[in-house]
Each structure stands twice: as C-alpha cells, then as structure tokens.
Amino acid sequence: ILTPGQLFISCSEPFDADEYIERLAWRTPGGGSKGGAEAFDPKRLLEEFENHIEELKHLDEKIQRRVEKLEHQCHREAKEFAHKVQDLQRSNQVAFQHFQELDEHISYVATKVCHLGDQLEGVNTPRQRAVEAQRLMTYFNEFLDGELRSDVFNNPEKIKEAADIIQKLHLIAQELPFDRFADVKAKIASKYHDLERQLIQEFTAAQRRGEIGRMQEVAAVLLHFKGYAHCVDVYIKQCQEAHVKEKLDETRRSDVEQYLKNLYDLYTRTTALASKLTEFNLGSDKHTFLSKLIKNIFSTYLESYIEMEKDYLRTRSAMILQRYYDSKNHQKRPQGGGSIQELKERIRQRTNLPLGPSIDTHGETFLSQEVVVNLLQETRHAFERCNRLSDPSDLPKNAFSIFLLLVEHLCMDHIDYALEIGLSAIPSADAKNANLYFLDVVQQANTIFHLFDKQFNDHLMPLISSSPKLTECLHKKKEVIEQMEVKLDTGIDRTLNCMVGQMKHILATEQKKTDFRPEDENNVMIQCTAACSKVCVYVSRQVERVRKSMDGKNVDTVLTELGVRFHRLIHEHLQQYSYSSMGGMLAICDVAEYRKSAKDFRVPLVLQLFDTLHALCNLLVVAPDNLKQVCSGEQLTNLDRNLLHAFVQLRVDYRQARLGRHFS
C-alpha cells in the first residue's frame, strides 16, 4: 500500500480528488469496485481511509512548518536587501555631489580657456590679415609688372586657390582710381573672367563625368563669382540634355517607332513645363528665353524629325500591307508595266470584249478594314507628332508629305489595287452562273472612303487650313477620289452587264416559244411563266445586294441604271415571240410580275417604264376594233407609232385580221 506522498508523486497530472480516492481504493486489497482477486471488504477500506487521513494530517503539518520556515527566511532576506539599497542610495548621493563639484570646476576652466582664446584671436587675426594683405600685394605686383610668375596662376591643379586670390584682387581693384590703375584693373578683370570660364568648363566636364564631389567643389568656388548664375543654367541644361540624350539616342537606330514616341513625349512634357514656368517672374523676355532653351536641347533631333517620320511611316505601312497579303497567301500583282497580258487586262476592264478568262478571286475582296484602321492610326499618330515637333513654318509642308504617304499606301497600294483585282475578277457579260463579288468591293471601298475622309477633316485640315498647301491637298484628294470613282463606275457598269447577261441566259434557257402560243388554248392556266419567275427571283436578289453595297444617292443611281437595262432586256425579249390571244394574256401576266419586281427598285422611272410595257402588252389581246382606242389611251398616246405597230405585228392574227390598217 502506497503512502499519501507516494500517491502524490505518482500523479504527474494536476490533482483530482475523485481520481485520488479511486486510486487509493483500487490499490487497497478488497477495496476495488469490481472485486478482483479478493471480494469487496468495506471495513478494510474504511480502515485504510482512516489511516490515510491521519497520514494526510501529518503531511499537512509537515508542509505547514516548512512554509512558515520559508516565509521567515523571506522576511529576513527582504530586510537585509532593504538595508543594502539604503547604503547604495547614500553612496549615490555622495557621488552626485562630487560630480557637481567637478562640473563647476570644468566650467570655470572652460571660461578661462575661452577668454584666453579670445585674447589669442585678437592677437592672431591682425597678424593673419597682415600676412594675407602682404600675399595679395605680392600677387598685385605681378599684375602690375605684367608677368604672372607665381605657380598658383600657371598650375591648372591650383585653380581653386587662384580663383580665391583673383576674386579678392578683383574686389580690391574696384576701389582703385581708374586713371592711375586702368591697365592693372584690366589685367585683373581679364584673369577674373578667364578663371570664371575655366571653372564653368570644369563644372560642365565634371557633370558629364558624373563626379558629384568635384561639382560641389567647383560650385563652392564659383559661389563668390558673378557667373555663379550661369553655373546654375549650365547645370539645368546639362541635366535636360543628359536625360533627353539617354532617352533618345539608345532607340534612334534600334527602334525608330519608340524613338519617335519618346521624342514626342519628351518634347510635349518639356513645352508643358515651360508653360508652367512662364507663371513665375523670369524676366521680361521669359518666353524667348524658354523657347531658346528648348530649341538648344532638341534642335539636333527636330532637324531630322520629318525624314525619320516619313521613313518609319513608309516602312510601317508597307509591313502592314505585306502582312495582310501574306495572311491571304496572295502574291501581289505588279501594277503598271507594258506586257501584252496587262494590255489585254486593261482593255477587258474598260470594255466588254472577251479577251480571255477573268481572274477567280474566290470571293476575296482584298480589302481589309483592320488594315485600313492600322494605316489610319499610324498616320494619325504621325499627324500628332508632326503638329507638335514641326517648326510652324514647316508644319503645312510636313503634314502634306505625310498625307501623300497615306494616299500612296492606303489609296493606291490597297484600295486601288483591290479595285484592279476586283475589275479583273468580273466575268464577261455572257458568263453563266457568275459570282459578282465586285459589289462587295464597292461596299468595303465605300466604308474605307468615309474613314479616309474623316481623318482628312479631323487631323489634316487643322494643320493646313491657313496655308497655301490647303489647295494642293484638296486637289490631290479630289484627284485620287476621281481616279477611284472611274474604276468603281467601270466595275459597277460591267457588273450590271453581267446581271443583265445572267437574266438573258435565264430567259434564253427557260423561255419556250410555246409559252405564248399554247397548243391547247382552252387548257391553259393564266399565270406567269417559269422563265419570268426565275428572272424575278434573280432580280430581287441583285436589288438587295445593290442596296447593301451602296449608300445615299448612289443606290438610286445604280438601281435606276439596272432598272432601265432590265426593262430594255424584257422589252427586246418580248419582241422575239408571236402571241396568240391566250399567249398575250400570259405575256401580260409575265409583265405584271416584272412590274412587281420593278417596285422593289423604288425608282419612279423604272416603275413608269414597266407600266408602259404593261400597256403595250395589252395590244396583244385587245379586240382589233379597239386597237385605235387603246393606242390613244393615256399611257400609249405619246409613244412612237412605229413602236405600237411593232407590238401589234407580234399578234398571230395580224395578217389574218389585217390589223395594219388600224395604223394607216
């Protein structure tokens, strides 16, 4: 059985009374709650508890005596420590008194030393002044004799000492009478200005080398000279030039685009700073001074600016175009030249003569809005830089040269080239199932023209509006647009011919002679013919394409021309057949359908033409006795009698009924 002390020691965790009792009962024979080897014995457990309680009491008394002993020891040591602290405080007070006495003694000695120093200075200062005066008189005599023998004036390394001497001599010379010392005063002044110039040069050289310490030394010497303000100007100028040179020279040859951007940015920021500086009192000619300062910094770069701008714009534009054509796997065809093939191509573009097959572009217009935007953006940046970096007198000329590059690359190398390719791709008028992509070229070219014109007005006009170059720019713009309009008109004309040719092909293959002379006139459905239906479907598609490709008055102009040609084709087509009474009704049905298609044109002239044609077709079915009355009707009365007679001759019963007598 364990003692209370052993039970406490065996417990490594914090004391728990319940656990302690449980452990004591468990270790007592017959005291376990679950029996075990021996049966539960409450008397034995009670006896064990009583014995254990006695032992705990003895243990408590023992611990209490130990605590009292430790408390007594603690009180005794506290009293001893308090006595030691009091002794230390008394010792510290004595030491403080000694320090006060020492400080008073030091102050007394210091006062004596200062007094002695003042007395020594009073004696030494006149002596130093006398020595300095003697030294200056020696140097003055050298100027008086006209020969500078002292090493200080001939040794470049002693320029600081020489500057101090000449500055003092210059002040002395100002007090001397001019009539007796004019020569020596001039010599001193000359040396003064010479040393001042050397010091400024040395300051500039040190700044370029980045030697800050040397700059401080030279500036300290120059501080007493009249040219110190010039030293400040040199420092500012050098700082600006060093910054500009660092930004521009490293990109001038390696990256022209970045060079132009840096030049524009630095110049803009510098001029903005100059504008802010004008708010301060910098003298009456501050604007001239600041402009001259800026010019000195940037003159080297501004002189060659416009040539670098044009070279960059030319190279950049060519790269944008070439990258586009490479993406299309297209080898750009050379424009101009004198080969027979090119001569044939130009003749074919301007006529409808079949001089060989057309070029198949597979629907590609070779116009890219992305390319156009990139070219215009590059040119816009060039105009902005030109406005900022050009001399006012050269601004119109420089802006015009940039405009010419835009015309060359956008209008000629891209738009005009696409028009040439588009014209080459237009099939002949008799081609079957032709794909007419030229209208897509027209649509894109029209959009590009608007962008080109907007940039002309927004970015070029403000730069040239008040100069003679305005007339030259407007003439060039008009010339380019007229040149392209000729090609657009040629292409549209040939496209319309192809449309009419396609209609003619449909009519030739679909229209049968029996359509208007049916074998069984009693068993015929009064409706338009198949050829008419196909032509009307085709015409509707082409009218919609024209509307999508054009804008403004161009839509009406082109649709008017297409409508007139459409009417002429149908008019001539109808005159190729002879008509029975029922066939005439079918022809009227066809013309009525054509008239519906004509309404889609929304052009009064075209609708009027088909109204007249519809009235002419009535001559094919009207009773012979009523022909004269019909011909005198409102729609036919103004037509040529030969035309009316020609339509009447198309009737099958013309000769049988002797209808010609009605036109006698």
Side-chain angles (χ1 to χ4, degrees):
I1 295 177
L2 296 176
T3 63
Q6 290 175 325
L7 283 174
F8 281 126
I9 292 172
S10 64
C11 295
S12 59
E13 297 179 358
F15 178 75
D16 186 347
D18 293 339
E19 184 182 355
Y20 180 80
I21 297 298
E22 182 66 27
R23 185 176 300 179
L24 177 62
W26 178 74
R27 293 180 179 275
T28 301
S33 59
K34 295 183 180 181
E38 299 181 10
F40 177 69
D41 188 352
K43 292 183 178 180
R44 191 171 183 179
L45 183 59
L46 176 62
E47 182 181 353
E48 184 62 30
F49 277 170
E50 291 174 347
N51 293 334
H52 208 77
I53 288 171
E54 290 298 326
E55 291 180 2
L56 286 173
K57 289 179 179 179
H58 292 304
L59 180 60
D60 179 62
E61 292 174 356
K62 182 178 179 181
I63 291 173
Q64 188 63 34
R65 286 194 299 270
R66 187 177 179 184
V67 169
E68 291 175 354
K69 181 179 179 182
L70 290 174
E71 287 178 349
H72 177 72
Q73 183 179 353
C74 181
H75 287 307
R76 180 170 49 80
E77 291 179 354
K79 289 180 181 179
E80 293 176 357
F81 181 75
H83 289 305
K84 289 181 180 180
V85 170
Q86 290 176 356
D87 293 340
L88 288 174
Q89 286 178 341
R90 284 192 294 270
S91 300
N92 183 57
Q93 187 173 6
V94 173
F96 180 73
Q97 290 176 352
H98 289 315
F99 276 121
Q100 281 185 327
E101 293 174 358
L102 181 61
D103 183 61
E104 292 174 357
H105 186 66
I106 291 174
S107 298
Y108 174 76
V109 173
T111 303
K112 291 291 185 181
V113 171
C114 288
H115 178 67
L116 181 61
D118 292 339
Q119 290 180 334
L120 291 175
E121 185 178 1
V123 175
N124 189 52
T125 299
R127 179 178 175 278
Q128 285 182 340
R129 289 176 180 173
V131 172
E132 181 68 16
Q134 182 182 11
R135 188 168 67 97
L136 291 175
M137 290 174 63
T138 302
Y139 294 132
F140 184 84
N141 286 333
E142 292 186 11
F143 282 98
L144 194 62
D145 296 339
E147 182 180 358
L148 300 179
R149 298 178 299 275
S150 298
D151 182 59
V152 70
F153 293 121
N154 299 305
N155 189 347
E157 296 181 358
K158 295 185 177 181
I159 188 173
K160 181 178 179 181
E161 184 179 351
D164 179 63
I165 294 170
I166 200 67
Q167 194 268 338
K168 293 177 180 177
L169 289 176
H170 186 263
L171 292 176
I172 294 172
Q174 303 299 317
E175 305 295 331
L176 298 176
F178 183 79
D179 54 347
R180 293 179 56 191
F181 298 95
D183 185 55
V184 69
K185 289 177 70 173
K187 291 177 182 179
I188 292 175
S190 175
K191 189 64 177 178
Y192 177 90
H193 294 302
D194 182 57
L195 282 173
E196 186 180 57
R197 178 180 53 80
Q198 293 181 34
L199 286 169
I200 292 176
Q201 291 177 349
E202 176 62 23
F203 180 85
T204 304
Q207 185 177 3
R208 288 175 177 170
R209 295 191 301 267
E211 298 177 358
I212 305 299
R214 181 59 178 165
M215 290 169 60
Q216 290 176 335
E217 293 178 7
V218 176
V221 176
L222 276 169
L223 181 62
H224 303 289
F225 281 75
K226 296 180 179 179
Y228 180 72
H230 186 60
C231 174
V232 176
D233 294 340
V234 168
Y235 174 73
I236 295 174
K237 180 181 177 182
Q238 283 290 113
C239 287
Q240 292 174 328
E241 288 181 352
H243 178 69
V244 170
K245 187 174 182 180
E246 180 183 355
K247 282 285 186 180
L248 297 180
D249 286 2
E250 64 182 23
T251 59
R252 191 168 189 172
R253 299 186 184 278
S254 60
D255 189 347
V256 180
E257 180 183 11
Q258 192 60 45
Y259 165 77
L260 291 172
K261 289 181 179 179
N262 290 345
L263 178 59
Y264 174 78
D265 178 63
L266 289 172
Y267 191 82
T268 302
R269 288 162 55 194
T270 304
T271 52
L273 176 62
S275 298
K276 292 181 179 179
L277 290 176
T278 56
E279 300 174 2
F280 299 95
N281 184 17
L282 301 177
S284 58
D285 61 341
K286 55 186 176 182
H287 292 283
T288 305
F289 168 71
L290 292 172
S291 299
K292 185 177 179 181
L293 186 61
I294 294 174
K295 186 176 181 180
N296 290 337
I297 296 172
F298 290 96
S299 59
T300 305
Y301 306 101
L302 297 181
E303 289 173 359
S304 60
Y305 154 70
I306 192 60
E307 293 303 322
M308 296 195 71
E309 183 72 79
K310 291 193 294 185
D311 290 342
Y312 165 73
L313 190 59
R314 189 179 294 110
T315 304
R316 177 67 176 171
S317 299
M319 184 194 72
I320 291 172
L321 290 172
Q322 190 58 48
R323 186 169 57 193
Y324 167 70
Y325 293 123
D326 289 343
S327 69
K328 299 295 182 181
N329 293 322
H330 174 72
Q331 181 65 39
K332 194 174 182 183
R333 302 171 62 200
Q335 292 180 269
S339 66
I340 299 298
Q341 183 61 35
E342 290 172 355
L343 179 60
K344 288 182 178 181
E345 180 60 32
R346 292 187 178 276
I347 294 174
R348 193 184 68 79
Q349 288 176 6
R350 290 160 176 78
T351 66
N352 290 322
L353 297 177
L355 299 177
S358 61
I359 298 174
D360 187 3
T361 62
H362 304 287
E364 180 59 58
T365 63
F366 291 103
L367 284 174
S368 168
Q369 193 163 343
E370 180 182 357
V371 168
V372 172
V373 169
N374 288 337
L375 291 175
L376 291 176
Q377 185 176 10
E378 292 292 343
T379 310
R380 178 173 63 83
H381 292 325
F383 281 136
E384 291 174 351
R385 290 192 289 263
C386 177
N387 185 29
R388 177 67 69 179
L389 302 176
S390 295
D391 188 88
S393 60
D394 296 331
L395 177 58
K397 178 184 66 175
N398 293 345
F400 180 65
S401 64
I402 293 174
F403 172 68
L404 291 180
L405 288 175
L406 176 63
V407 170
E408 176 186 348
H409 292 97
L410 175 61
C411 298
M412 306 310 298
D413 291 349
H414 192 54
I415 305 176
D416 189 72
Y417 177 73
L419 293 178
E420 291 281 354
I421 295 294
L423 287 171
S424 303
I426 298 176
S428 61
D430 57 353
K432 300 177 182 179
N433 299 321
N435 290 320
L436 305 177
Y437 294 115
F438 192 78
L439 290 179
D440 296 333
V441 177
V442 174
Q443 179 185 6
Q444 294 187 27
N446 186 44
T447 302
I448 294 172
F449 278 144
H450 286 307
L451 295 175
F452 171 75
D453 191 59
K454 186 176 188 306
Q455 182 159 95
F456 183 90
N457 294 325
D458 292 350
H459 295 95
L460 178 60
M461 285 293 289
L463 307 183
I464 61 171
S465 58
S466 58
S467 75
K469 284 290 180 182
L470 174 61
T471 304
E472 198 172 348
C473 282
L474 292 173
H475 175 73
K476 184 64 178 178
K477 177 187 175 186
K478 181 181 178 183
E479 177 186 332
V480 170
I481 291 178
E482 287 179 350
Q483 177 183 342
M484 294 187 181
E485 283 180 345
V486 169
K487 294 184 178 181
L488 287 170
D489 291 344
T490 302
I492 292 172
D493 180 71
R494 295 183 56 235
T495 300
L496 296 181
N497 285 340
C498 289
M499 291 179 181
V500 174
Q502 188 67 20
M503 298 179 209
K504 186 182 295 185
H505 173 70
I506 295 173
L507 292 172
T509 55
E510 298 293 335
Q511 196 85 72
K512 301 178 178 61
K513 290 185 177 181
T514 56
D515 287 345
F516 303 115
R517 292 183 65 181
E519 297 177 357
D520 186 1
E521 298 239 348
N522 296 321
N523 190 22
V524 176
M525 294 182 65
I526 306 300
Q527 61 182 16
C528 64
T529 62
C532 172
S533 297
K534 290 187 177 181
V535 168
C536 290
V537 170
Y538 179 79
V539 169
S540 297
R541 289 204 303 266
Q542 303 316 310
V543 170
E544 188 63 28
R545 287 193 67 184
V546 171
R547 291 195 184 281
K548 289 182 179 178
S549 304
M550 311 285 175
D551 63 354
K553 295 182 179 179
N554 293 330
V555 177
D556 293 338
T557 302
V558 174
L559 288 180
T560 299
E561 183 63 27
L562 177 59
V564 170
R565 297 186 189 189
F566 175 38
H567 168 265
R568 185 185 305 124
L569 172 66
I570 300 302
H571 186 276
E572 294 173 354
H573 173 71
L574 291 175
Q575 290 182 319
Q576 297 175 8
Y577 300 91
S578 58
Y579 300 86
S580 65
S581 177
M582 187 57 67
M585 294 296 294
L586 294 175
I588 290 175
C589 288
D590 279 3
V591 174
E593 196 66 24
Y594 293 137
R595 186 173 175 274
K596 288 182 181 178
S597 294
K599 289 183 179 179
D600 294 339
F601 286 73
R602 302 174 196 166
V603 178
L605 174 61
V606 176
L607 186 59
Q608 181 183 351
L609 289 173
F610 277 94
D611 285 342
T612 303
L613 183 60
H614 188 270
L616 282 171
C617 288
N618 286 331
L619 298 177
L620 301 175
V621 297
V622 70
D625 295 337
N626 296 332
L627 277 174
K628 197 167 186 177
Q629 180 183 356
V630 173
C631 290
S632 302
E634 181 181 353
Q635 291 182 319
L636 300 179
T637 186
N638 295 325
L639 296 182
D640 185 3
R641 305 296 288 181
N642 293 327
L643 176 60
L644 299 177
H645 193 189
F647 256 82
V648 174
Q649 287 178 329
L650 299 177
R651 294 172 59 134
V652 174
D653 60 353
Y654 174 75
R655 295 188 181 276
Q656 299 172 355
R658 300 177 62 191
L659 299 179
R661 59 188 174 85
H662 294 283
F663 293 90
S664 59

